[in-house]
Amino acid sequence: DEQKAKIEQIRLSMKSRRDAVINDAKEDTDQKNAMLEGLQHMEIRQILEVLTPEQLSEVRKKVMARRAAEQEQNKTHQWPSQK
């Protein structure tokens, strides 16, 4: 459907941009990593703009659940002096 096509176009566009960054011999590793992180954030933002309000709500719920699970996991894997 149209939404899937838009998301696929975003992904393809960002892939070509990521590949250009990776293959850029002028940038060092730290610069490349920063640029790749920025491109990842851009891709996520663009995809979120394509989603319906219901889909956005569902994404937010999943993100919150994942973060809560990560926090709980971090609590159980801390050294005794960190608790």
Side-chain angles (χ1 to χ4, degrees):
D1 88 304
E2 184 179 336
Q3 185 185 53
K4 287 182 182 180
K6 286 181 182 179
I7 291 173
E8 182 63 22
Q9 183 58 40
I10 292 167
R11 292 197 180 277
L12 289 173
S13 172
M14 287 299 164
K15 182 183 180 335
S16 66
R17 292 174 78 174
R18 280 192 304 272
D19 290 345
V21 169
I22 290 168
N23 295 319
D24 186 355
K26 294 180 254 175
E27 307 293 341
D28 66 30
T29 303
D30 288 339
Q31 290 170 320
K32 286 182 181 183
N33 287 339
M35 293 172 83
L36 291 171
E37 187 176 326
L39 288 173
Q40 183 180 19
H41 289 292
M42 285 175 55
E43 180 178 9
I44 291 168
R45 264 195 313 273
Q46 289 178 7
I47 289 172
L48 291 176
E49 289 175 4
V50 175
L51 300 180
T52 65
E54 294 82 17
Q55 290 169 322
L56 279 173
S57 176
E58 202 56 36
V59 167
R60 286 188 184 109
K61 287 178 189 175
K62 288 180 181 182
V63 168
M64 290 173 61
R66 185 180 56 204
R67 285 182 183 163
E70 287 172 358
Q71 286 177 349
E72 189 61 35
Q73 184 179 15
N74 287 340
K75 286 180 186 176
T76 61
H77 288 93
Q78 289 180 348
W79 293 98
S81 62
Q82 290 178 323
K83 287 186 178 178

